[in-house]
Amino acid sequence: MNFYRADPVLADLLRVHLPDHLFRHIEPHLDRLGALAGGHLDECARLADKHGPVLHQRDRFGNDRQWIEYHPAYRELERAAYGEFGIHAMSHRKGILGWADTYPAVAKHAFTFLFNQAEFGLGCPINVTDGAARLLSRFGDDALKAKYLDGLTQTDMTKLTQGGQFMTEKEGGSDVGKLTTVAVQEGNHWRLHGEKWFCSNADAEVVMLLARPQGAVDGTRGVGLFLMPRRLDDGSPNHYRIVRLKDKLGTRSMASGEIKLEGAIAYAVGRLDRGFVQMAEMVNWSRLSNGVKSAALMRRAHHDANTVANNRVVFGHRIVDLPLARRQLMKIMLATEQAVSLSFLTADALDRAEAGSQDAAALLRVLTPTLKYRATRDARKVCGDALEMRGGIGYIEEFATPRLLRDAHLGSIWEGTGNIVALDALKRAVGRHGAEAALAADLHARIDDAAGVPQAWRDRLRGLTDKAIGFAREVAGRSENEADARRATSTLYHVASAVSFAWEGAKIHATRGDAKRLLLSRLVVDHRLTAQDPFAVLSGDEGKLADRLLGSQPCSMGDVTEALTAA
C-alpha cells in the first residue's frame, strides 16, 4: 500500500495549510515516501524491531571500546530518513529535496507523519537530532555552531552526526529540578559527573543534556544546558560510558541506555541560569513531533483495520457491512482524524509563531500540550482496537498491529506523562500565560471563515468553544480544581477538533466539492462534547453517518447540512 495515496485527507490538509507551489513541490516526494513506508521501509521496521540493538563493551582484540551493533535494516531506515529525505534537517538546511529554502513545520511533519507509519522507533533519534540542531543554532555561541551544527544537519551519511537528549535521572523524571549531575568548570570547557537514567539514541555523536554547575542554586534555576560530544578532538571517546541498554516495551529498534558520566567534557550552551528554559523549548517542539507520530500510529492502525474490514468475510458478510464493526471503525476513524487535524493545526501555529506572530506563539503554547496529551492517549486505544479488528492473528508479532500498540504506549510517557502535560496545558498555558484567549480567538476566526457551513452549526460551535474556554479558566484558576485538569484539557482538544473539522470541510468543499469532514465535526459534538444517556438505544441516524464516512463517495454541502440539522 502507498500510504500517501491511501490517505487523501493528508493531501487535502496540506493544500489547506501550505502555499500551492510548496505543496506541488513536495507531493512527488511524499508519494515516493508513501510507497516506501508501505513497502520496503515497513519490512525494514519489522526486522529492526525483531533484531534490536546490542551493546558491546570490547572489540574483538579485547580492547575496551564500547559500541552498539544495529541490524542492517535499522541502518537502511536511517539512510532513508536522514540521507534520502533529510527529515531531521528540513527546518535547518536549505536545499533538502531540491527546495531552495528551509521547510515550514507543516511540510516537514507531513514527512514525519508518513515515515512513522512504517517506523516509530527511529522517530526519536530523528527528533532529537533536529532538536539538538535547533538548540545549538538558537543558543550556542559561534564557535560551537561552527564546530557541530553542520554535522547535525547533514544528509550525507558519511558526515552526519546524530543528536541525543539525555535529561532523565533516577532522582527525577518530570521533576527536573532534582537532578544531581554536576558540572565543574575546567578552562573553556566543563567536566560532567553523574548518571543519566533514560538516554534515547544512546550512542549519539552530539548530546544535549542538563547539569548543575558546581555551586549553583537548587531547583531548575540552577540548571545549565550543555553540549557533550561522543568523541573528543583527538578521536578518543569522551569520558562517559553506556552502562546498559534498556529492555523496553516498544521502540525496540532504537537504543535507549543508561549513561554514567565520569568527567565527560562538555560545553555550555547559552546562559547557565537559563538551561532549563532553553531545554523546555526543545521539549515543546518535541511534543508537537510526538503528537504527529502518535497520529501516524493511528493512521497506520486505521489503514490496517480498514483493510481487514473491507476484505475479510465472516458469517457471509464483509466485516465492514456489520453494524457493530462499522461503529468500531467509526471510533478508530474519529480519534485518528482528530489527531491528524490538530497536528497540522499546531504545526501551522508554530510556523506563524516562528514568523513573529505573538498571537500564534500564545496559541502554540496551549495547543502543543493539548495535542500531546490527548493524541498520545488516543493512540493506545486506537491501536488496540485495530488489533482486535484483526482478531487472534492481530496479536501475533508477524503482523504490524502488536508493534503499533507497544510503540503507542511510549507517546503518553515521552516528554511528560499525561498528568504532567495536562497540568502544563491548564496550570501554565492557561493559568499562567492566558493562552486560552489566543485559542478562543483562533477558533472563532475559523468558525467565521467556514464559508457555506450552516449558520446554526457555526453558532453551536461558538457556544461550545466558549464553554470549553470557560471550563479551562475555571480549572486553571483554583488549585482545588487541579483534579479536573485532564478532563479540561480533553475538552479543549475536542472543541478545537470540532471547529477544525468544520473549517477544513468548508475549505475542502470549495476545492473539490467534498464536505464530508463536517460530519466528523458532528461526531465530536455528539460523542465527545455532549453527555450520553447510557440507557438510550442508538438512533438510525448514526448508521447514515457511517454510510457516508466509511464510503468513498464525496458528500455535498446539502447532504452534510441535512445531517447537521438532525443533530
Side-chain angles (χ1 to χ4, degrees):
M1 180 183 286
N2 183 316
F3 289 159
Y4 179 71
R5 296 183 188 180
D7 188 5
V9 168
L10 176 57
D12 283 335
L13 295 185
L14 293 177
R15 288 190 185 97
V16 167
H17 288 292
L18 291 176
D20 183 63
H21 65 291
L22 177 54
F23 171 72
R24 284 188 282 107
H25 176 81
I26 65 173
E27 186 173 37
H29 301 292
L30 293 172
D31 185 68
R32 182 161 52 91
L33 178 55
L36 288 169
H40 176 60
L41 296 182
D42 186 50
E43 177 61 16
C44 289
R46 185 186 68 81
L47 289 170
D49 178 75
K50 187 175 182 180
H51 305 283
V54 178
L55 175 63
H56 298 277
Q57 300 291 351
R58 288 185 166 186
D59 65 19
R60 58 185 175 178
F61 299 106
N63 299 311
D64 289 329
R65 185 178 73 85
Q66 280 198 327
W67 58 286
I68 297 177
E69 179 185 2
Y70 295 92
H71 191 275
Y74 185 81
R75 295 303 191 194
E76 180 66 7
L77 291 164
E78 287 182 319
R79 187 201 61 77
Y82 292 107
E84 186 173 353
F85 291 96
I87 300 171
H88 69 297
M90 285 181 163
S91 297
H92 311 286
R93 183 180 285 269
K94 297 179 180 180
I96 304 292
L97 298 176
W99 185 247
D101 205 344
T102 56
Y103 287 93
V106 169
K108 177 181 77 173
H109 283 308
F111 290 89
T112 303
F113 180 66
L114 283 175
F115 184 86
N116 280 268
Q117 288 180 48
E119 164 62 8
F120 188 81
L122 185 59
C124 177
I126 296 168
N127 182 66
V128 292
T129 302
D130 182 353
R134 189 180 292 265
L135 284 175
L136 182 57
S137 63
R138 290 208 171 186
F139 306 115
D141 60 33
D142 290 341
L144 275 183
K145 286 189 278 192
K147 190 172 184 178
Y148 294 107
L149 188 56
D150 181 71
L152 287 167
T153 63
Q154 274 286 345
T155 56
D156 182 339
M157 297 301 289
T158 65
K159 298 178 181 178
L160 172 69
T161 53
Q162 291 187 36
Q165 173 187 315
F166 299 174
M167 281 183 62
T168 308
E169 299 186 5
K170 297 177 188 177
E171 292 76 16
S174 300
D175 191 357
V176 178
K178 285 187 175 180
L179 68 79
T180 60
T181 298
V182 175
V184 181
Q185 191 162 16
E186 185 180 274
N188 66 346
H189 61 257
W190 297 72
R191 293 275 188 175
L192 304 182
H193 302 268
E195 290 191 41
K196 294 295 181 179
W197 180 240
F198 207 105
C199 305
S200 295
N201 214 16
D203 59 346
E205 293 292 329
V206 178
V207 174
M208 292 290 184
L209 75 170
L210 298 175
R212 194 179 308 281
Q214 195 173 42
V217 299
D218 293 337
T220 56
R221 292 182 180 179
V223 171
L225 176 63
F226 295 88
L227 182 153
M228 182 179 71
R230 177 80 172 135
R231 303 181 193 284
L232 302 178
D233 291 344
D234 62 2
S236 63
N238 203 348
H239 306 288
Y240 69 92
R241 57 191 173 90
I242 306 168
V243 178
R244 63 172 176 168
L245 298 184
K246 299 287 194 182
D247 185 10
K248 298 172 294 181
L249 172 67
T251 62
R252 294 175 179 174
S253 63
M254 183 264 296
S256 298
E258 298 167 19
I259 306 294
K260 190 170 182 64
L261 305 164
E262 301 168 322
I265 291 176
Y267 304 93
V269 179
R271 286 171 45 183
L272 288 176
D273 62 345
R274 299 282 293 173
F276 175 76
V277 175
Q278 292 166 179
M279 184 63 92
E281 285 198 34
M282 180 177 172
V283 168
N284 276 328
W285 301 321
S286 183
R287 284 177 175 175
L288 167 56
S289 180
N290 195 338
V292 174
K293 288 193 275 285
S294 291
L297 289 175
M298 285 190 265
R299 177 63 84 211
R300 176 62 190 274
H302 185 208
H303 284 323
D304 196 81
N306 271 335
T307 300
V308 172
N310 281 280
N311 290 281
R312 186 180 176 198
V313 175
V314 295
F315 307 114
H317 299 277
R318 292 185 310 158
I319 291 177
V320 74
D321 297 324
L322 301 173
L324 195 54
R326 291 169 70 79
R327 194 160 199 270
Q328 292 306 110
L329 285 171
M330 293 275 282
K331 288 183 178 182
I332 290 171
M333 170 188 279
L334 181 60
T336 301
E337 299 298 349
Q338 284 184 282
V340 173
S341 282
L342 266 294
S343 290
F344 287 107
L345 191 73
T346 306
D348 177 70
L350 173 58
D351 287 329
R352 290 186 286 122
E354 292 285 286
S357 169
Q358 293 301 308
D359 289 339
L363 176 64
L364 182 68
R365 183 65 187 85
V366 66
L367 277 181
T368 303
T370 300
L371 168 70
K372 195 276 181 189
Y373 169 73
R374 188 71 208 192
T376 58
R377 297 188 62 75
D378 284 350
R380 292 162 19 190
K381 181 69 165 61
V382 165
C383 291
D385 284 353
L387 182 152
E388 186 176 342
M389 188 66 68
R390 210 175 251 288
I393 58 173
Y395 192 69
I396 304 304
E397 292 282 354
E398 292 172 312
F399 292 87
T401 38
R403 174 162 51 92
L404 297 178
L405 182 58
R406 289 189 281 104
D407 287 349
H409 279 266
L410 174 61
S412 53
I413 298 173
W414 180 19
E415 308 294 15
T417 60
N419 286 353
I420 292 296
V421 180
L423 289 173
D424 185 35
L426 267 293
K427 306 302 286 186
R428 296 182 184 89
V430 175
R432 187 178 301 171
H433 299 289
E436 81 286 355
L439 177 60
D442 183 86
L443 296 181
H444 277 287
R446 292 182 193 278
I447 293 168
D448 292 339
D449 191 39
V453 175
Q455 187 63 46
W457 190 252
R458 287 197 274 176
D459 290 342
R460 187 167 185 186
L461 291 177
R462 282 192 188 92
L464 290 169
T465 297
D466 292 341
K467 288 181 69 175
I469 296 295
F471 180 41
R473 284 174 174 156
E474 183 180 1
V475 172
R478 302 177 65 181
S479 58
E480 58 266 34
N481 292 341
E482 188 173 290
D484 286 315
R486 293 165 71 104
R487 194 159 56 95
T489 303
S490 288
T491 303
L492 290 179
Y493 181 84
H494 294 319
V495 79
S497 63
V499 171
S500 295
F501 286 149
W503 178 75
E504 293 160 359
K507 297 290 184 184
I508 296 167
H509 181 264
T511 301
R512 60 178 183 86
D514 188 0
K516 185 182 294 186
R517 211 150 179 82
L518 269 161
L519 300 178
L520 295 171
S521 180
R522 179 185 160 181
L523 285 184
V524 174
V525 171
D526 286 353
H527 295 281
R528 301 289 186 265
L529 296 170
T530 303
Q532 301 292 304
D533 181 352
F535 303 106
V537 174
L538 294 174
S539 69
D541 191 45
E542 189 170 290
K544 295 177 183 178
L545 289 177
D547 290 340
R548 289 168 171 151
L549 283 168
L550 297 178
S552 60
Q553 296 301 311
C555 292
S556 70
M557 189 62 77
D559 290 338
V560 169
T561 298
E562 179 185 346
L564 296 179
T565 303

